[in-house]
Amino acid sequence: MASSPDSPSAPTPSAPTPSSPTPSTPTSSSPTSPARPGLLAFQPLKRRRCAECRSGPLRLLVLEGGEPRCLDCADLGHLVYLPRGDTALTLRAREGSGLWAVVVRFHRRRARYERQGVLVEEAALARAEERCLADAEARARRRARDAVRRAARDVRFTEAFAAEIGRLFPGCPEDRAHAIAAHAAERGSGRVGRSAAGRALSEGAVTAAVGAAVRHTATPYDRLLMSGVPRGEARRRIAPAVAATLRAWREAPGRPGRDAHACEGEGHTWPPGPVGN
């Protein structure tokens, strides 16, 4: 197994790993490309030199026999780097390139390798850029339509989340429930509302979102953190107040209106069905 250029620990299986194929040992089971052999290049976090020509420090390297090699020594020096960010351009450049490699970098906090871009042939990149320019307007219109559909789904999900808060915590003010739902369900936030449990409107996820809102807005929790109190101790101190508020909201009489499932038949059920084109 080839060793990692930056960390001795194995990355998570969901990302390219240092034991993925190197230029000398491509395999069809590479995680960088399920459909065809792929190569890996690393953006090292530490200063590395090529084991063959001793050039360095290397901006990009590949591993051969567990040793770092510069792109020239690995016969990849003629490829150009295309950073991630433009999916259409990346796919087209990769499809048109006879030789290409995925560029990854180790993320210390997440303890895994993450894709940064690709190395492709310069001519393939030029052809891909021409294709992308030719249909840029159509792709922009498609992205706009997709954005509208996502926004509509987000609105329906936020409404369902707020309704479930109202069902579990009938004493929670309606405007407060909607504010909590909007915060928890914000797309790309990584908050509990975007988790699998949150999207399933599980009681635990909804309760966690309400508890977090109470903790930050109705207790001195934030002030304790700012004064240097460790997070665990700060949570311990305000736990009784959070529990009391949740209990009061949960035991209050239900407010008039619909519960989380009462909007069925009005286009507001969650999860929504497939959205048409």
Side-chain angles (χ1 to χ4, degrees):
M1 178 182 293
S3 61
S4 162
D6 296 305
S7 172
S9 59
T12 59
S14 60
T17 71
S19 59
S20 300
T22 63
S24 60
T25 58
T27 70
S28 60
S29 60
S30 165
T32 63
S33 172
R36 55 177 290 186
L39 309 178
L40 276 184
F42 296 90
Q43 288 183 348
L45 302 181
K46 301 176 183 177
R47 295 169 64 89
R48 301 290 185 182
R49 291 187 175 275
C50 177
E52 186 170 331
C53 69
R54 305 308 301 168
S55 63
L58 301 176
R59 184 176 63 87
L60 293 172
L61 63 86
V62 297
L63 292 176
E64 290 184 340
E67 297 290 339
R69 297 286 192 280
C70 67
L71 297 186
D72 287 331
C73 290
D75 293 331
L76 300 177
H78 63 292
L79 302 181
V80 295
Y81 177 56
L82 174 61
R84 66 182 180 181
D86 189 325
T87 303
L89 181 60
T90 297
L91 291 176
R92 288 171 172 177
R94 198 174 66 181
E95 289 171 356
S97 189
L99 181 66
W100 57 271
V102 175
V103 177
V104 298
R105 183 172 61 202
F106 190 72
H107 193 295
R108 286 196 176 105
R109 184 172 61 84
R110 296 173 182 165
R112 70 185 186 193
Y113 279 90
E114 297 181 340
R115 298 174 186 238
Q116 303 300 311
V118 292
L119 293 169
V120 295
E121 295 170 342
E122 189 169 7
L125 177 57
R127 291 192 298 269
E129 289 173 335
E130 291 177 358
R131 291 177 61 191
C132 287
L133 286 174
D135 65 359
E137 184 176 347
R139 288 187 293 112
R141 290 196 299 267
R142 185 167 59 248
R143 286 195 299 270
R145 292 195 300 270
D146 291 343
V148 171
R149 285 195 290 266
R150 286 194 299 270
R153 284 188 294 190
D154 286 349
V155 168
R156 292 197 297 271
F157 175 53
T158 300
E159 290 176 351
F161 203 99
E164 185 66 4
I165 292 174
R167 187 182 73 83
L168 294 174
F169 301 96
C172 178
E174 190 169 357
D175 58 345
R176 186 76 176 277
H178 278 87
I180 294 172
H183 181 77
E186 182 180 353
R187 181 178 292 271
S189 65
R191 299 186 183 114
V192 66
R194 304 308 302 188
S195 66
R199 295 182 65 80
L201 298 179
S202 74
E203 181 174 348
V206 174
T207 300
V210 176
V214 172
R215 182 166 59 246
H216 286 286
T217 61
T219 75
Y221 179 68
D222 291 352
R223 292 197 301 274
L224 292 173
L225 294 181
M226 289 299 295
S227 66
V229 177
R231 185 169 63 92
E233 173 62 18
R235 286 199 174 203
R236 187 190 66 78
R237 294 185 188 181
I238 56 91
V242 173
T245 299
L246 295 185
R247 184 168 56 253
W249 283 356
R250 193 184 292 274
E251 296 174 354
R255 61 173 182 255
R258 302 169 297 177
D259 64 18
H261 307 287
C263 41
E264 186 173 357
E266 300 180 18
H268 295 292
T269 57
W270 191 262
V275 179
N277 292 328

